[in-house]
């Protein structure tokens, strides 16, 4: 038979259609915005946790410093109390010697002066002598006049008067006299600011007065009628008492300062601890918000299938299994 004609050649392939232009990027979805918000919350929570940890460390350090200072304050308070007890013992001994000395003095003015000087020496006080010329009817009036112009109660200090001149006064039967009045003031009875104010008052009143600081034990030694042996004993006892009182006062001031520092550190530590607790609570709140925001990003599980859909899915699965079984049978028969 004649050969069959060759099959016709296929028509040329047409060029593929051009690709469509890319679609514009869609705007950020709500899921993307939610993820950004969740990240911001988590970052804020992490920062707040870090701040809380730092404040907790600071509070811990301040608590340790406060406890250490409180222990130091307790030790210094105990030391100050011991020093005060020692000072009380030495002061009592010196006062006993003082009383023995005063028992030998019969003149009341001299006894008052000796007591003032002895107490000043025992307590480590200062003695100021104020001296002025006063015109008065008698010695008592001269002392009262100087006390009055000083603005100080006449029951404190010790006053001594010496007549310098008698002045005739035609208006009175009695003649006034000029007296040199000396008043001793002890810092154990009158504080320094009051003494300074008294001197200012005398100047305002037009009274020319002079003041000097005196050694109590030196003035005591020139009072007539006091035995030298008891003066020597009093000097020793008063010096020891004054030193012990000064040491006790310094220890007391140190204890008070340390207690004040401990109280301040305690306040600072308590405030830092409260701040740390507040920051930790804020961090927990932010952690919870971040967790809620992250949970909202997880898509919910699909709802359960309705009965018709479930039957369709089951029948489809059954048909698929039957088709596979038939294919295996045909393959076995061919082989």
């Amino acid at each position: 038979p004649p050969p069959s004609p060759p099959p016709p050649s296929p028509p040329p392939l047409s060029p593929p259609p051009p690709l469509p232009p890319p679609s514009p990027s869609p705007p950020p979805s709500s899921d993307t915005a939610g993820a950004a918000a969740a990240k911001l919350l988590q970052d804020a929570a992490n920062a707040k946790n870090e701040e809380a940890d730092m404040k907790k460390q600071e509070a811990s350090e301040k608590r340790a410093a406060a406890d250490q200072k409180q222990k130091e304050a307790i030790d210094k308070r105990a030391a100050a109390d011991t020093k005060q007890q020692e000072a009380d013992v030495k002061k009592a001994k010196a006062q006993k010697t003082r009383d023995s000395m005063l028992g030998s003095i019969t003149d009341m003015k001299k006894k008052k002066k000796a007591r003032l000087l002895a107490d000043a020496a025992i307590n480590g006080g200062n003695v100021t002598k104020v001296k002025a010329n006063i015109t008065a009817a008698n010695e008592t009036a001269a002392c009262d006049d100087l006390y009055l112009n000083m603005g100080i109660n006449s029951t404190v200090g010790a006053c001594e008067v010496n007549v310098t001149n008698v002045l005739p006064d035609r208006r009175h039967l009695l003649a006034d006299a000029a007296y040199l009045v000396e008043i001793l003031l002890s810092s154990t009875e009158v504080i320094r600011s009051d003494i300074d104010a008294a001197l200012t008052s005398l100047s305002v009143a037009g009274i020319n007065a002079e003041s000097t600081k005196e050694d109590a034990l030196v003035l005591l030694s020139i009072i007539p009628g006091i035995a030298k042996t008891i003066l020597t004993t009093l000097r020793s006892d008063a010096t020891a008492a004054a030193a012990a009182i000064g040491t006790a006062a310094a220890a007391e001031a140190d204890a008070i300062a340390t207690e004040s520092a401990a109280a301040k550190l305690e306040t600072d530590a308590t405030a830092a601890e409260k701040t740390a607790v507040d920051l930790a609570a804020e961090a927990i709140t932010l952690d919870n918000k971040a967790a809620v925001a992250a949970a909202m990003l997880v898509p919910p599980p699909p709802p359960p299938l309705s009965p018709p859909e479930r039957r369709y899915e089951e029948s489809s699965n059954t048909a698929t299994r039957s088709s596979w079984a038939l294919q295996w049978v045909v393959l076995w028969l061919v082989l």
Side-chain angles (χ1 to χ4, degrees):
S4 60
S9 59
L13 297 176
S14 60
L19 296 176
S23 59
S25 301
S29 65
S30 59
D31 289 346
T32 304
K39 185 177 183 305
L40 288 176
L41 283 173
Q42 189 59 58
D43 290 344
N46 293 338
K48 189 63 69 174
N49 274 305
E50 183 177 353
E51 184 181 359
D53 291 340
M54 293 176 61
K55 183 59 69 173
K56 184 178 180 181
Q57 178 64 27
E58 177 187 345
S60 177
E61 293 173 356
K62 288 189 174 183
R63 170 58 56 198
D67 292 344
Q68 178 62 33
K69 185 61 70 173
Q70 183 61 36
K71 181 180 180 299
E72 182 181 345
I74 292 172
D75 293 340
K76 290 192 174 184
R77 169 53 57 198
D81 291 344
T82 300
K83 294 295 183 183
Q84 186 60 52
Q85 292 172 2
E86 294 174 357
D88 291 343
V89 171
K90 292 183 178 181
K91 182 178 179 179
K93 181 182 179 183
Q95 288 175 333
K96 185 177 180 180
T97 305
R98 175 205 64 190
D99 293 342
S100 178
M101 177 195 69
L102 294 176
S104 63
I105 303 175
T106 57
D107 185 274
M108 297 306 296
K109 288 186 178 181
K110 289 182 179 179
K111 180 177 287 190
K112 182 179 182 181
K113 178 180 178 181
R115 186 184 186 93
L116 180 146
L117 295 172
D119 286 344
I122 291 170
N123 291 281
N126 298 316
V127 175
T128 301
K129 179 190 288 187
V130 180
K131 185 165 55 175
N133 290 307
I134 300 294
T135 301
N138 52 52
E139 294 182 2
T140 302
C143 284
D144 290 344
D145 188 49
L146 186 56
Y147 271 117
L148 179 63
N149 283 282
M150 291 172 65
I152 292 180
N153 196 307
S154 60
T155 58
V156 301
C159 183
E160 286 187 338
V161 179
N162 293 312
V163 180
T164 59
N165 190 17
V166 176
L167 303 175
D169 188 345
R170 297 177 181 178
R171 295 173 299 172
H172 298 86
L173 296 177
L174 297 177
D176 287 342
Y179 296 96
L180 178 61
V181 183
E182 296 180 354
I183 293 179
L184 296 178
L185 298 173
S186 170
S187 60
T188 60
E189 293 181 335
V190 184
I191 61 176
R192 184 70 234 181
S193 59
D194 287 346
I195 295 176
D196 293 339
L199 296 174
T200 301
S201 296
L202 289 177
S203 178
V204 171
I207 298 176
N208 186 19
E210 62 176 277
S211 64
T212 56
K213 292 183 179 180
E214 304 291 336
D215 187 313
L217 290 173
V218 171
L219 292 179
L220 192 61
S221 66
I222 62 177
I223 295 178
I226 301 177
K228 290 185 179 180
T229 53
I230 198 166
L231 275 174
T232 301
T233 303
L234 179 62
R235 179 184 294 275
S236 175
D237 292 346
T239 301
I245 290 172
T247 301
E252 177 68 18
D254 192 17
I256 291 175
T258 306
E259 288 168 345
S260 298
K264 184 179 183 305
L265 287 175
E266 175 67 24
T267 301
D268 291 346
T270 301
E273 288 168 345
K274 182 181 183 303
T275 303
V277 171
D278 293 342
L279 289 173
E282 293 176 15
I284 291 174
T285 301
L286 289 174
D287 279 331
N288 292 338
K289 289 182 178 180
V292 170
M296 294 177 64
L297 298 176
V298 179
L305 297 175
S306 60
E309 292 173 341
R310 186 178 294 111
R311 285 196 300 270
Y312 172 78
E313 182 178 353
E314 290 174 353
S315 62
S316 176
N317 293 338
T318 301
T320 302
R321 288 194 297 269
S322 300
S323 175
W324 277 104
L326 180 59
Q327 293 179 21
W328 276 106
V329 170
V330 171
L331 181 61
W332 179 75
L333 291 175
V334 171
L335 295 177

